[in-house]
Amino acid sequence: WWREGSEATISIGAKLNIVSAKVSSEGIYYCQPSNDGGMGTVASVDLRVYQGPRFLSTLQSQVIRRSGDGNFSVSCTAEGKPRPNVTWVKDGTLINPKIKHAFYRISTRDVDVRNGVT
């Protein structure tokens, strides 16, 4: 057994066991049988690993501002695979980022990291 991008053998035997799949485990794995008669055909498997969404930072439970104060912003950062969507809700109502609001401006910044997790 070996992994794409690596010439090193990662396992010998009929079975490759990955004890705990991680996003970093993702990739193409190859196996090839061999004996005194020679080498057999190479077979491969493309392992894809998904990760449920989780917050990388938490929001403060309460923020106090005076009426008329400006420049208030909060950020919600999450990661997952596939990339999670972040939605904002005020008093039970979804704030649609595609609609121009007088009071809200929602922006999204995607950050690509190893294996597409953000």
Side-chain angles (χ1 to χ4, degrees):
W1 288 94
W2 69 96
R3 186 174 172 181
E4 183 175 62
S6 173
E7 299 300 319
T9 301
I10 56 174
S11 180
I12 296 176
K15 183 178 181 180
L16 173 67
N17 186 32
I18 297 174
V19 178
S20 179
K22 297 176 178 61
V23 174
S24 61
S25 306
E26 196 167 80
I28 299 174
Y29 292 82
Y30 299 93
C31 66
Q32 183 176 32
S34 65
N35 63 17
D36 292 338
M39 304 289 276
T41 304
V42 175
S44 66
V45 59
D46 187 0
L47 174 63
R48 295 286 155 218
V49 179
Y50 293 94
Q51 177 184 17
R54 71 180 185 96
F55 287 114
L56 295 176
S57 59
T58 58
L59 298 174
Q60 291 178 289
S61 61
Q62 183 179 47
V63 176
I64 300 173
R65 293 287 190 261
R66 285 181 276 191
S67 178
D69 282 354
N71 296 325
F72 170 72
S73 67
V74 290
S75 294
C76 181
T77 307
E79 73 175 354
K81 187 167 184 201
R83 177 177 287 131
N85 295 312
V86 174
T87 55
W88 290 92
V89 177
K90 181 188 181 298
D91 299 329
T93 302
L94 176 69
I95 301 172
N96 187 337
K98 295 179 181 179
I99 297 174
K100 188 170 182 168
H101 296 275
F103 300 109
Y104 312 110
R105 185 178 319 128
I106 297 175
S107 62
T108 302
R109 184 177 62 116
D110 292 335
V111 178
D112 289 325
V113 294
R114 182 175 155 85
N115 292 322
V117 177
T118 318

Coordinates of all heavy atoms in Angstrom, one line a residue, residues 41-118:
T41 N -1.5 -6.2 -11.1 CA -2.0 -4.9 -11.5 C -2.3 -4.0 -10.3 O -2.7 -4.5 -9.2 CB -3.4 -5.1 -12.2 OG1 -3.2 -5.9 -13.3 CG2 -4.0 -3.8 -12.7
V42 N -2.0 -2.7 -10.4 CA -2.2 -1.7 -9.4 C -3.7 -1.4 -9.3 O -4.4 -1.2 -10.3 CB -1.4 -0.4 -9.6 CG1 -1.7 0.6 -8.6 CG2 0.1 -0.7 -9.6
A43 N -4.3 -1.4 -8.0 CA -5.6 -0.9 -7.8 C -5.6 0.3 -6.9 O -4.6 0.5 -6.2 CB -6.4 -2.1 -7.1
S44 N -6.6 1.1 -7.0 CA -6.6 2.3 -6.2 C -8.0 2.6 -5.6 O -9.0 2.1 -6.1 CB -6.2 3.5 -7.0 OG -7.2 3.8 -8.0
V45 N -8.0 3.4 -4.5 CA -9.2 3.8 -3.9 C -9.0 5.3 -3.5 O -7.9 5.7 -3.0 CB -9.6 3.0 -2.6 CG1 -8.5 3.1 -1.6 CG2 -10.9 3.5 -2.1
D46 N -10.0 6.1 -3.8 CA -10.0 7.6 -3.6 C -10.8 7.8 -2.3 O -12.0 7.7 -2.2 CB -10.6 8.3 -4.7 CG -10.5 9.8 -4.6 OD1 -9.9 10.3 -3.6 OD2 -11.0 10.5 -5.5
L47 N -10.0 8.1 -1.2 CA -10.7 8.3 0.1 C -11.0 9.8 0.3 O -10.2 10.7 0.2 CB -9.7 7.9 1.3 CG -10.2 8.2 2.7 CD1 -11.5 7.4 3.0 CD2 -9.1 7.9 3.7
R48 N -12.3 10.1 0.5 CA -12.8 11.4 0.8 C -13.3 11.4 2.2 O -14.0 10.5 2.6 CB -13.9 11.8 -0.2 CG -13.5 11.9 -1.6 CD -12.7 13.1 -1.8 NE -11.8 12.9 -3.0 CZ -10.6 13.4 -3.1 NH1 -10.1 14.1 -2.1 NH2 -9.9 13.2 -4.1
V49 N -12.9 12.5 3.0 CA -13.3 12.6 4.4 C -14.0 13.9 4.5 O -13.6 14.9 4.1 CB -12.0 12.6 5.3 CG1 -12.4 12.7 6.7 CG2 -11.2 11.3 5.1
Y50 N -15.2 13.8 5.2 CA -16.0 15.0 5.4 C -15.9 15.3 6.9 O -15.8 14.4 7.8 CB -17.5 14.7 5.0 CG -17.6 14.6 3.5 CD1 -17.5 13.4 2.9 CD2 -17.6 15.8 2.7 CE1 -17.6 13.3 1.5 CE2 -17.7 15.7 1.3 CZ -17.7 14.4 0.7 OH -17.7 14.4 -0.6
Q51 N -16.1 16.6 7.2 CA -16.0 17.0 8.6 C -17.2 17.9 8.8 O -17.5 18.9 8.1 CB -14.7 17.8 8.8 CG -14.6 18.4 10.2 CD -13.3 19.3 10.3 OE1 -12.7 19.7 9.3 NE2 -12.9 19.6 11.5
G52 N -18.0 17.6 9.9 CA -19.1 18.4 10.2 C -18.7 19.8 10.6 O -17.6 20.1 11.0
P53 N -19.6 20.8 10.4 CA -19.3 22.2 10.8 C -19.0 22.4 12.3 O -19.7 21.8 13.1 CB -20.4 23.0 10.3 CG -21.6 22.1 10.2 CD -21.0 20.7 10.0
R54 N -18.1 23.3 12.6 CA -17.8 23.7 13.9 C -17.3 25.1 14.0 O -16.6 25.5 13.0 CB -16.9 22.7 14.7 CG -15.5 22.8 14.2 CD -14.6 21.8 15.0 NE -13.2 21.9 14.6 CZ -12.3 22.7 15.3 NH1 -12.7 23.3 16.4 NH2 -11.1 22.8 14.9
F55 N -17.6 25.8 15.1 CA -17.1 27.1 15.2 C -15.6 27.2 15.6 O -15.2 26.4 16.4 CB -17.9 27.9 16.3 CG -19.3 28.3 15.9 CD1 -20.4 27.7 16.5 CD2 -19.5 29.2 14.8 CE1 -21.7 28.0 16.0 CE2 -20.8 29.5 14.4 CZ -21.9 28.9 15.0
L56 N -14.9 28.1 15.0 CA -13.5 28.3 15.4 C -13.4 29.4 16.4 O -12.4 29.5 17.2 CB -12.7 28.7 14.2 CG -12.6 27.6 13.1 CD1 -11.8 28.2 11.9 CD2 -11.9 26.4 13.6
S57 N -14.4 30.3 16.5 CA -14.5 31.3 17.5 C -15.9 31.5 17.9 O -16.8 31.2 17.2 CB -13.9 32.6 17.0 OG -14.6 33.1 15.9
T58 N -16.1 31.9 19.2 CA -17.5 32.0 19.7 C -17.8 33.5 19.8 O -17.0 34.4 19.8 CB -17.7 31.4 21.1 OG1 -16.7 32.0 22.0 CG2 -17.4 29.9 21.0
L59 N -19.1 33.8 19.8 CA -19.6 35.1 19.9 C -19.8 35.5 21.4 O -20.1 34.6 22.2 CB -21.0 35.3 19.2 CG -21.0 35.0 17.7 CD1 -22.5 35.1 17.2 CD2 -20.2 36.1 17.0
Q60 N -19.7 36.8 21.7 CA -20.0 37.2 23.0 C -21.5 37.0 23.2 O -22.3 37.3 22.3 CB -19.6 38.7 23.2 CG -18.2 39.0 23.2 CD -17.9 40.5 23.3 OE1 -18.2 41.2 22.4 NE2 -17.5 40.9 24.5
S61 N -21.9 36.6 24.4 CA -23.3 36.4 24.7 C -24.1 37.7 24.7 O -25.3 37.7 24.4 CB -23.5 35.6 25.9 OG -23.0 36.3 27.0
Q62 N -23.4 38.8 25.0 CA -24.1 40.1 25.1 C -23.2 41.2 24.8 O -22.0 41.2 25.2 CB -24.8 40.3 26.5 CG -25.6 41.6 26.5 CD -26.1 41.8 27.9 OE1 -25.4 41.6 28.9 NE2 -27.4 42.1 28.0
V63 N -23.6 42.2 23.9 CA -22.9 43.4 23.6 C -23.8 44.6 23.9 O -25.0 44.5 23.4 CB -22.4 43.4 22.2 CG1 -21.6 44.7 21.8 CG2 -21.5 42.2 21.9
I64 N -23.3 45.6 24.5 CA -24.1 46.8 24.8 C -23.6 48.0 24.1 O -22.4 48.2 24.1 CB -24.2 47.0 26.3 CG1 -24.8 45.8 27.1 CG2 -24.9 48.3 26.6 CD1 -24.7 45.9 28.6
R65 N -24.4 48.7 23.4 CA -24.1 49.9 22.7 C -25.2 50.9 22.9 O -26.3 50.6 23.2 CB -24.1 49.6 21.1 CG -23.0 48.7 20.7 CD -21.6 49.4 20.7 NE -20.6 48.7 20.1 CZ -19.7 47.9 20.7 NH1 -19.8 47.7 22.0 NH2 -18.8 47.3 20.0
R66 N -24.8 52.2 22.8 CA -25.7 53.3 23.0 C -26.4 53.5 21.6 O -25.8 53.3 20.6 CB -25.0 54.6 23.4 CG -24.6 54.5 24.9 CD -24.0 55.8 25.3 NE -22.5 55.6 24.9 CZ -21.6 56.4 25.2 NH1 -21.8 57.5 25.9 NH2 -20.3 56.1 24.8
S67 N -27.6 54.1 21.7 CA -28.3 54.4 20.5 C -27.5 55.4 19.7 O -26.9 56.4 20.2 CB -29.7 55.1 20.9 OG -30.3 55.5 19.7
G68 N -27.3 55.1 18.4 CA -26.5 56.0 17.5 C -25.1 55.6 17.4 O -24.4 56.1 16.5
D69 N -24.6 54.7 18.2 CA -23.2 54.2 18.1 C -23.1 53.5 16.7 O -24.0 52.8 16.3 CB -22.9 53.2 19.2 CG -22.5 53.8 20.5 OD1 -22.5 55.1 20.6 OD2 -22.4 53.1 21.5
G70 N -22.0 53.6 16.1 CA -21.7 53.0 14.8 C -20.6 52.1 14.9 O -20.0 51.8 15.9
N71 N -20.2 51.5 13.7 CA -19.1 50.7 13.6 C -19.1 49.4 14.5 O -18.1 49.0 15.0 CB -17.8 51.4 13.8 CG -17.6 52.5 12.7 OD1 -18.0 52.3 11.6 ND2 -17.0 53.6 13.1
F72 N -20.2 48.9 14.7 CA -20.3 47.6 15.4 C -20.3 46.5 14.4 O -21.0 46.4 13.4 CB -21.6 47.5 16.2 CG -21.9 46.2 16.8 CD1 -21.1 45.7 17.9 CD2 -22.9 45.4 16.3 CE1 -21.3 44.5 18.4 CE2 -23.1 44.1 16.8 CZ -22.3 43.7 17.9
S73 N -19.4 45.5 14.6 CA -19.4 44.3 13.8 C -19.0 43.1 14.6 O -18.4 43.2 15.6 CB -18.4 44.5 12.6 OG -17.1 44.6 13.1
V74 N -19.5 42.0 14.1 CA -19.2 40.7 14.8 C -18.8 39.7 13.7 O -19.3 39.8 12.5 CB -20.4 40.1 15.6 CG1 -20.6 40.9 16.9 CG2 -21.7 40.0 14.8
S75 N -18.0 38.8 14.0 CA -17.6 37.7 13.0 C -17.9 36.4 13.6 O -17.8 36.1 14.8 CB -16.1 37.8 12.8 OG -15.8 39.0 12.1
C76 N -18.3 35.5 12.7 CA -18.6 34.1 13.0 C -17.7 33.3 12.1 O -17.9 33.3 10.9 CB -20.1 33.9 12.8 SG -20.6 32.2 13.1
T77 N -16.8 32.6 12.7 CA -15.9 31.8 11.9 C -16.1 30.3 12.1 O -16.1 29.9 13.3 CB -14.4 32.1 12.3 OG1 -14.3 33.6 12.2 CG2 -13.4 31.5 11.4
A78 N -16.3 29.6 11.1 CA -16.6 28.1 11.2 C -15.7 27.4 10.1 O -15.2 27.9 9.2 CB -18.0 27.9 10.9
E79 N -15.5 26.1 10.4 CA -14.8 25.2 9.5 C -15.6 24.0 9.3 O -16.4 23.6 10.1 CB -13.4 24.9 9.9 CG -13.3 23.9 11.1 CD -11.9 23.5 11.4 OE1 -11.0 23.9 10.7 OE2 -11.7 22.8 12.4
G80 N -15.4 23.3 8.2 CA -16.0 22.0 7.9 C -15.7 21.6 6.5 O -15.2 22.4 5.7
K81 N -16.1 20.4 6.2 CA -15.9 19.9 4.8 C -17.1 19.1 4.4 O -17.4 18.1 5.1 CB -14.6 19.1 4.6 CG -14.4 18.8 3.2 CD -13.1 18.3 2.9 CE -12.9 18.1 1.4 NZ -11.9 17.2 1.1
P82 N -17.9 19.5 3.5 CA -17.7 20.6 2.6 C -17.8 21.9 3.4 O -18.3 21.9 4.6 CB -18.8 20.5 1.6 CG -19.8 19.6 2.1 CD -19.1 18.7 3.1
R83 N -17.4 23.0 2.8 CA -17.4 24.3 3.5 C -18.8 24.7 4.0 O -19.7 24.6 3.3 CB -16.9 25.4 2.5 CG -16.9 26.8 3.0 CD -16.4 27.8 2.0 NE -15.0 27.6 1.9 CZ -14.3 27.5 0.7 NH1 -14.9 27.6 -0.4 NH2 -13.0 27.3 0.7
P84 N -18.8 25.0 5.3 CA -20.2 25.4 5.8 C -20.7 26.7 5.4 O -19.9 27.6 5.1 CB -19.9 25.4 7.4 CG -18.4 25.6 7.5 CD -17.8 25.1 6.3
N85 N -22.0 26.9 5.4 CA -22.6 28.2 5.2 C -22.9 28.8 6.5 O -23.3 28.1 7.4 CB -23.9 28.1 4.4 CG -23.6 27.5 3.0 OD1 -22.8 28.0 2.3 ND2 -24.4 26.5 2.6
V86 N -22.7 30.1 6.7 CA -23.1 30.8 7.9 C -24.3 31.6 7.7 O -24.3 32.4 6.7 CB -21.9 31.6 8.4 CG1 -22.3 32.4 9.6 CG2 -20.7 30.7 8.7
T87 N -25.3 31.5 8.5 CA -26.5 32.4 8.4 C -26.6 33.2 9.6 O -26.3 32.8 10.7 CB -27.7 31.5 8.1 OG1 -27.9 30.5 9.2 CG2 -27.7 30.8 6.8
W88 N -27.2 34.4 9.4 CA -27.5 35.3 10.6 C -29.0 35.4 10.7 O -29.7 35.5 9.8 CB -26.8 36.6 10.3 CG -25.3 36.6 10.4 CD1 -24.5 36.4 9.4 CD2 -24.5 36.7 11.6 NE1 -23.2 36.4 9.8 CE2 -23.2 36.6 11.1 CE3 -24.8 37.0 12.9 CZ2 -22.1 36.7 12.0 CZ3 -23.8 37.0 13.8 CH2 -22.4 36.9 13.4
V89 N -29.4 35.4 12.0 CA -30.8 35.5 12.3 C -31.0 36.5 13.4 O -30.2 36.5 14.4 CB -31.4 34.1 12.8 CG1 -32.8 34.2 13.3 CG2 -31.2 33.0 11.8
K90 N -32.0 37.4 13.3 CA -32.3 38.4 14.3 C -33.7 38.2 14.7 O -34.6 38.2 13.9 CB -32.1 39.8 13.8 CG -32.4 40.8 14.9 CD -32.4 42.3 14.3 CE -32.7 43.3 15.4 NZ -33.9 43.2 16.1
D91 N -33.9 38.0 16.0 CA -35.2 37.8 16.6 C -36.0 36.8 15.9 O -37.2 36.9 15.6 CB -36.0 39.1 16.7 CG -35.3 40.1 17.6 OD1 -34.6 39.7 18.5 OD2 -35.4 41.3 17.3
G92 N -35.4 35.7 15.4 CA -36.1 34.6 14.8 C -36.3 34.8 13.3 O -36.9 33.9 12.6
T93 N -35.8 35.9 12.7 CA -35.9 36.1 11.3 C -34.6 36.1 10.6 O -33.6 36.8 11.0 CB -36.6 37.5 11.1 OG1 -37.9 37.5 11.7 CG2 -36.8 37.8 9.6
L94 N -34.5 35.3 9.5 CA -33.3 35.2 8.8 C -32.9 36.6 8.1 O -33.8 37.2 7.6 CB -33.4 34.2 7.7 CG -32.3 34.0 6.7 CD1 -31.1 33.4 7.4 CD2 -32.7 33.1 5.5
I95 N -31.7 37.0 8.3 CA -31.2 38.2 7.6 C -30.6 37.7 6.2 O -29.6 37.0 6.2 CB -30.1 38.9 8.4 CG1 -30.7 39.3 9.8 CG2 -29.6 40.1 7.6 CD1 -29.6 39.9 10.7
N96 N -31.3 38.0 5.2 CA -30.9 37.6 3.8 C -29.7 38.5 3.3 O -29.9 39.6 3.1 CB -32.1 37.6 2.9 CG -31.8 37.0 1.5 OD1 -30.6 36.9 1.1 ND2 -32.8 36.6 0.8
P97 N -28.6 37.9 3.1 CA -27.4 38.7 2.7 C -27.5 39.2 1.3 O -26.8 40.1 0.9 CB -26.2 37.8 2.8 CG -26.8 36.4 2.7 CD -28.2 36.5 3.3
K98 N -28.5 38.7 0.5 CA -28.7 39.1 -0.9 C -29.5 40.4 -1.0 O -29.6 41.0 -2.1 CB -29.2 38.0 -1.7 CG -28.2 36.8 -1.9 CD -28.8 35.7 -2.7 CE -27.8 34.6 -2.7 NZ -28.3 33.4 -3.5
I99 N -30.2 40.7 0.1 CA -31.1 41.8 0.1 C -30.4 43.0 0.8 O -29.8 42.8 1.9 CB -32.4 41.5 0.9 CG1 -33.2 40.4 0.1 CG2 -33.3 42.8 1.0 CD1 -34.4 40.0 0.9
K100 N -30.4 44.1 0.2 CA -29.7 45.3 0.8 C -30.5 45.8 1.9 O -31.7 46.1 1.8 CB -29.5 46.4 -0.3 CG -28.7 47.5 0.2 CD -28.3 48.5 -0.9 CE -27.4 49.6 -0.3 NZ -26.8 50.4 -1.3
H101 N -29.9 45.8 3.1 CA -30.6 46.2 4.3 C -30.1 47.6 4.7 O -28.9 48.0 4.5 CB -30.3 45.3 5.5 CG -30.8 43.9 5.3 ND1 -32.1 43.6 5.6 CD2 -30.3 42.8 4.8 CE1 -32.3 42.3 5.3 NE2 -31.2 41.8 4.8
A102 N -31.0 48.4 5.4 CA -30.6 49.7 5.9 C -29.7 49.6 7.1 O -28.8 50.4 7.3 CB -31.8 50.5 6.2
F103 N -29.8 48.5 7.9 CA -29.1 48.4 9.1 C -28.0 47.3 9.1 O -27.1 47.3 10.0 CB -30.0 48.1 10.3 CG -31.1 49.1 10.5 CD1 -32.4 48.8 10.1 CD2 -30.7 50.4 11.0 CE1 -33.4 49.8 10.3 CE2 -31.7 51.3 11.2 CZ -33.0 51.1 10.8
Y104 N -28.0 46.4 8.2 CA -27.1 45.3 8.2 C -26.3 45.2 6.9 O -26.8 45.5 5.8 CB -27.8 43.9 8.3 CG -28.8 43.9 9.5 CD1 -30.2 43.9 9.2 CD2 -28.4 43.9 10.8 CE1 -31.1 43.8 10.2 CE2 -29.3 43.9 11.8 CZ -30.7 43.9 11.5 OH -31.6 43.8 12.5
R105 N -25.1 44.8 7.0 CA -24.2 44.4 5.9 C -23.6 43.1 6.2 O -22.8 43.1 7.2 CB -23.2 45.5 5.6 CG -22.5 45.2 4.3 CD -21.4 46.3 3.9 NE -21.9 47.6 4.1 CZ -21.2 48.5 4.8 NH1 -20.1 48.2 5.3 NH2 -21.7 49.7 4.9
I106 N -23.9 42.1 5.5 CA -23.3 40.8 5.7 C -22.3 40.5 4.6 O -22.6 40.6 3.4 CB -24.4 39.7 5.8 CG1 -25.3 40.0 7.0 CG2 -23.7 38.3 5.9 CD1 -26.5 39.0 7.0
S107 N -21.1 40.1 5.0 CA -20.1 39.8 4.0 C -19.5 38.4 4.4 O -19.5 38.0 5.6 CB -19.0 40.8 4.0 OG -18.3 40.9 5.2
T108 N -19.1 37.7 3.4 CA -18.5 36.4 3.6 C -17.1 36.4 3.0 O -16.8 36.9 2.0 CB -19.3 35.3 2.9 OG1 -20.6 35.4 3.4 CG2 -18.7 33.9 3.1
R109 N -16.2 35.8 3.8 CA -14.8 35.7 3.3 C -14.4 34.2 3.5 O -14.4 33.7 4.6 CB -13.9 36.6 4.1 CG -12.4 36.6 3.6 CD -11.6 37.5 4.4 NE -11.5 37.1 5.8 CZ -10.4 36.7 6.5 NH1 -9.3 36.6 5.8 NH2 -10.5 36.3 7.7
D110 N -14.2 33.6 2.3 CA -13.8 32.2 2.3 C -12.3 32.1 2.4 O -11.6 32.9 1.7 CB -14.3 31.5 1.1 CG -15.8 31.4 1.0 OD1 -16.4 31.4 2.1 OD2 -16.4 31.2 -0.1
V111 N -11.8 31.2 3.2 CA -10.4 31.0 3.4 C -10.1 29.5 3.0 O -10.7 28.6 3.6 CB -9.9 31.3 4.8 CG1 -8.4 31.0 4.9 CG2 -10.3 32.7 5.2
D112 N -9.3 29.3 2.0 CA -9.0 28.0 1.6 C -7.8 27.5 2.5 O -6.8 28.2 2.6 CB -8.6 27.9 0.2 CG -9.8 28.0 -0.7 OD1 -10.9 27.6 -0.3 OD2 -9.7 28.6 -1.8
V113 N -8.0 26.3 3.1 CA -6.9 25.7 3.8 C -6.7 24.3 3.3 O -7.4 23.9 2.4 CB -7.2 25.7 5.4 CG1 -7.2 27.1 5.9 CG2 -8.5 25.0 5.6
R114 N -5.8 23.6 3.8 CA -5.5 22.3 3.3 C -6.7 21.4 3.2 O -7.5 21.3 4.1 CB -4.5 21.6 4.3 CG -4.0 20.2 3.9 CD -3.0 19.8 4.9 NE -2.9 18.3 4.9 CZ -2.2 17.6 4.1 NH1 -1.5 18.2 3.2 NH2 -2.1 16.3 4.3
N115 N -6.9 20.7 2.1 CA -8.0 19.9 1.7 C -9.3 20.6 1.7 O -10.4 19.9 1.9 CB -8.0 18.7 2.7 CG -6.9 17.7 2.5 OD1 -6.5 17.5 1.4 ND2 -6.3 17.2 3.6
G116 N -9.4 21.9 1.5 CA -10.6 22.6 1.3 C -11.5 22.8 2.6 O -12.6 23.0 2.5
V117 N -10.9 22.7 3.7 CA -11.7 22.9 5.0 C -11.6 24.3 5.4 O -10.5 24.9 5.5 CB -11.1 22.0 6.1 CG1 -11.9 22.2 7.4 CG2 -11.3 20.5 5.7
T118 N -12.7 24.9 5.7 CA -12.7 26.3 6.1 C -13.8 26.6 7.1 O -14.9 26.1 7.0 CB -13.0 27.3 4.9 OG1 -12.3 26.8 3.8 CG2 -12.6 28.7 5.3

